[in-house]
Amino acid sequence: ITVGRVLASLAAALFLFRFAFVRPRVLTRSPLDWPLAFFLLVSLVCTFNTYNLRLSLHGVYEDFEGITTNVMYAFLAWWVLQHVRSSRQVHLFAGAVILAGALAGFYGILQNFGIDFVPWNPATYSAIRMFSTMGNPNFLAAYLVMSLPITLMAFLDLPERIPTDRWFCGVLIVLGT
């Protein structure tokens, strides 16, 4: 999370520098602007309508699931939307999301079978719960569930772009299910 916050801060500083000193000022509108703004609004309302403000702001130790992390993720999503211009970039971004989910899921499967090459802290590690690279099984599941629409979009778009064998697609659907 610290690396993510440092990189997000660097991206924000560069964005503000460019916005302040480079003309013309360009902000790209996207269909995700309003949903992202409403997500932040709901997060802020929930944060300040809580019993433990410190916990809502920063989250628990080692998980950092507070509003500061949500704001970072929302900024990074908006920042990516500012730089995506072509359909090729959309496909590359979707491919990166799918690849990250596939790698994290594969590592989680390896953990499930006891094959793990990282020496995790025994106080926080549970051998019966796979968490992959996310540090928490709930975060892994959340990422994989959030990447499902993008994966489904790519999977449904694939037969139009690449000649595929229908029998093989059927086998993939059965194996995926």
Side-chain angles (χ1 to χ4, degrees):
I1 292 292
T2 303
V3 172
R5 287 183 179 177
V6 168
L7 292 176
S9 298
L10 180 63
L14 290 173
F15 179 78
L16 289 174
F17 179 80
R18 188 186 74 165
F19 191 75
F21 296 110
V22 175
R23 303 282 189 257
R25 294 181 178 143
V26 178
L27 289 178
T28 305
R29 301 271 307 156
S30 84
L32 297 178
D33 287 345
W34 284 110
L36 201 55
F38 285 127
F39 168 74
L40 279 177
L41 179 66
V42 169
S43 295
L44 286 170
V45 167
C46 292
T47 296
F48 294 108
N49 187 20
T50 184
Y51 292 113
N52 190 340
L53 183 62
R54 180 174 166 80
L55 186 65
S56 293
L57 288 173
H58 303 291
V60 297
Y61 180 70
E62 290 186 359
D63 285 346
F64 304 109
E65 71 273 27
I67 187 69
T68 53
T69 302
N70 281 349
V71 168
M72 177 188 69
Y73 289 150
F75 168 74
L76 288 175
W78 181 79
W79 184 73
V80 166
L81 291 173
Q82 292 298 308
H83 293 88
V84 172
R85 302 272 189 254
S86 67
S87 63
R88 181 179 183 276
Q89 290 174 327
V90 171
H91 287 109
L92 286 173
F93 180 74
V97 170
I98 293 168
L99 180 64
L103 292 175
F106 182 70
Y107 182 43
I109 290 170
L110 290 177
Q111 282 179 334
N112 186 50
F113 289 111
I115 304 168
D116 196 351
F117 49 86
V118 176
W120 297 100
N121 181 1
T124 59
Y125 173 73
S126 173
I128 60 171
R129 297 178 74 196
M130 59 184 182
F131 53 88
S132 184
T133 57
M134 304 294 179
N136 186 321
N138 297 337
F139 295 163
L140 173 62
Y143 181 80
L144 294 176
V145 166
M146 287 189 298
S147 67
L148 276 177
I150 295 173
T151 306
L152 184 63
M153 172 204 64
F155 186 73
L156 293 176
D157 191 39
L158 197 62
E160 293 179 6
R161 298 185 179 277
I162 301 170
T164 56
D165 183 12
R166 293 201 182 274
W167 180 84
F168 182 66
C169 288
V171 168
L172 286 178
I173 290 172
V174 169
L175 287 175
T177 303

